[in-house]
Amino acid sequence: MQTDVKRRRKGGPAAVDDKGGAAAPPVGRSGRAVTTDGLIVAAIPESYNNQLTVVRRKLISPQAERLMVAFENIREGLVMYDDDERLVMMNPRYAEMYAIPPDLQKPGVRFAELLDYWGRVGLLDVEDNLTARRDVASRDTASCVRLHLCDGRVYELNEQPLPGGGWVSTHDDITARVRAEERILFLARHDALTGLENRASFHEGLSSHLAKATKDGTPNRFALMMFDLDRFKAINDQLGHDRGDQVLSLIGRRVFRKLPHGTRVARLGGDEFAIILDVADRSMARSVAADVVAAISEPFEFDTVTAEIGASLGIAYHPDHGDDVTTLMKCADQALRAVKSRPAEAILEYDRTLGDAETARDELINRLPGALDTGEIALHFQPIINAATGQCTSAEALLRWRHPTLGMVAPDRVIELAEESRLMPRLGLWILKRALAAASGWPRHIGVAVNLSAIQFREEGFAESVLAAIAEAGVEPERLELELTETLLCDDSAVATIKKLRYQGVRFSLDDFGTGYASMSYLLRFPFDRVKIDRSFVSSVDIRTDRRIIVEAIAGLADRLGLEVVAEGVETEGERRIVQSVGCGFLQGYLFGKPMPEADFRAFLDH
Ligand code: C2E
Ligand code: CA
Ligand code: CA
């Protein structure tokens, strides 16, 4: 108690002693309150009107007079306590802000009485408030603190110790400002679309989770899951971005509901999400992961359409796979990427061999540019035959990479690697130039078909680069045919690119027809010259009636639209007979020739 008093006398605002107050009132019945420097000597309020403090006063200093006027009229609540923690004065706004009844507005009322009252009416957490006031009291200088009322309001308190003890403070209701700040803070840490945490916040969360999990001796096991959506791009492309956004936000909700209370889940960006899940064992993690994937895979019903997407999910465990943010994220990400290349699986737990695959992938990517120059990568050509005449009319250029130690690398994989590593524009141009250079040495009635990758087609200046390559090779534009797949056609800029090149004579075919989502509508929307019926329909078409019906329907439709039809992957005489009989004008497949090196193709042509 003694120390308290002493400290107060030094000038800090008072703390309340355990007896609830001090003996000597500063404002006596004489009706005068005097600050030590003699600045203000105020008369004591004797009556209270309308719940507002009306201070009848006699002022001995004009400065004090101005101060009193200010007291009563300022927007903030203002209160002054003396060195015995007794009320000297409060302005009406203060009384209003703290709902102080008239009898507690009187000078001389102890701070402790007010606290007691606020506690009873449930306005303030008295303990908290007392501690906070004591903190302030121990300081010698002015301080600014925030006071949280139990009803959610937030006041900003500017407290100024008075020279002779006691304190004066202003109270500003900053609830609206705080809410706005909170909202801004929320937005900075959350993804606006799903309301889930964002990447930055998730990283912080993960590192504090790690700190917690490692601190108390035995490391806690938790799972870090990363997942992204399968076929989400198709939703965006076909149903529009608004629907895409809607799906993302629904997914946020569905996933959230599947997770135990308190689990962190974030949208890292695009269609990528992450979860931190405390688990007892791996089977628990696997079961939650399966729930998450199942929730996402439930169809999304919109007014007229139903959309279905899936998810791929990678899991890494703390502490087994790492005990820092970077390593764990990398492991979960690796597991995610690995599971994406396994169509039959949706969930994969990290293991070290995935790292090996990753290294192999990096090595391939590093080697790729050089392989273009050394001849490790080459184009092979597969003949396309006019069904009626049996003559070869063109060849499809197909990529081949014979790696010195790994052997043949599948062309789709090469394209995938090039797209991932931003080498695609370079590889794409290389393919185009090689194909045109080869064609320039063939008879003029033999065309060349080149496959395009999505990234390549969307490159800025793609059409111009094609035209430049044609000019450089000295080949008629009509001899070049560009093969596109449906996934590549999503917007009107694609139509513009096709039109621009077709105008110059370049031909276009829709590849792998029938395997995508909206083949029929694409045929109407985009100006093609040809459709290539996918090998999966052509294979066994002579014994599978269902396939025959599809091939016949596609051929019939294409014919009506004035398009040529190529049947891909014709391997047997039986298949040839059927596809030709239902109207496929052009044929491609092992029956006529496998993809072969350029020299072999020339020999094939001569033959
Ligand atoms: P695609 O465009 O559908 O190419 C046709 C694929 O069918 C080729 O596979 C070809 O070798 C194969 N094929 C042709 N006839 C038959 C047959 O009778 N039976 C069987 N079983 N297969 C046949 P390949 O060369 O492995 O290429 C696979 C895919 O890789 C291609 O599918 C294409 O999407 C992509 N690709 C290949 N080369 C390139 C390229 O230069 N650029 C781009 N962007 N993609 C390429
Ligand atoms: Ca093709
Ligand atoms: Ca194809």
Side-chain angles (χ1 to χ4, degrees), residues 470-483:
I470 292 172
E472 191 186 310
V475 168
E476 295 81 2
E478 292 74 14
R479 288 176 64 197
L480 176 64
E481 180 180 319
L482 297 177
E483 296 195 1

Side-chain angles (χ1 to χ4, degrees), residues 9-36:
R9 300 243 182 250
K10 260 171 63 199
V16 180
D17 69 47
D18 17 295
K19 294 191 202 90
V27 191
R29 300 205 201 298
S30 65
R32 317 184 92 208
V34 187
T35 63
T36 44

Side-chain angles (χ1 to χ4, degrees), residues 288-305:
V288 172
D291 284 351
V292 166
V293 171
I296 296 171
S297 310
E298 290 276 313
F300 293 88
E301 310 276 355
F302 297 115
D303 322 332
T304 50
V305 268

Side-chain angles (χ1 to χ4, degrees), residues 231-245 248 490:
R231 298 186 296 280
F232 180 64
K233 195 183 161 302
I235 301 246
N236 261 336
D237 292 350
Q238 287 162 30
L239 303 181
H241 286 261
D242 285 350
R243 283 275 196 260
D245 285 356
L248 285 175
C490 59

Side-chain angles (χ1 to χ4, degrees), residues 440-456:
S440 69
W442 305 339
R444 292 178 64 177
H445 65 278
I446 306 290
V448 65
V450 173
N451 293 284
L452 294 185
S453 97
I455 287 192
Q456 190 187 0

Side-chain angles (χ1 to χ4, degrees), residues 538 541 551 555 567 570 574-585 587:
V538 173
V541 70
V551 173
V570 182
E575 289 165 359
R576 184 198 67 76
R577 211 181 47 250
I578 300 296
V579 293
Q580 191 178 350
S581 73
V582 300
C584 298
L587 312 172

Side-chain angles (χ1 to χ4, degrees), residues 382 396 399-400 411 415 431 451 511-512 535 569 571 589-590 595:
Q382 184 178 32
E396 177 174 2
L399 197 63
R400 294 293 177 262
I415 300 299
I431 294 169
N451 293 284
D511 203 358
D512 303 342
R535 193 166 80 229
E571 291 186 357
Y590 293 174

Side-chain angles (χ1 to χ4, degrees), residues 396-398 449-451 483-485 509 511-512 532 568 588:
E396 177 174 2
L398 293 159
V450 173
N451 293 284
E483 296 195 1
L484 309 184
T485 53
S509 53
D511 203 358
D512 303 342
K532 299 186 78 172
E568 286 186 324
Q588 178 180 358

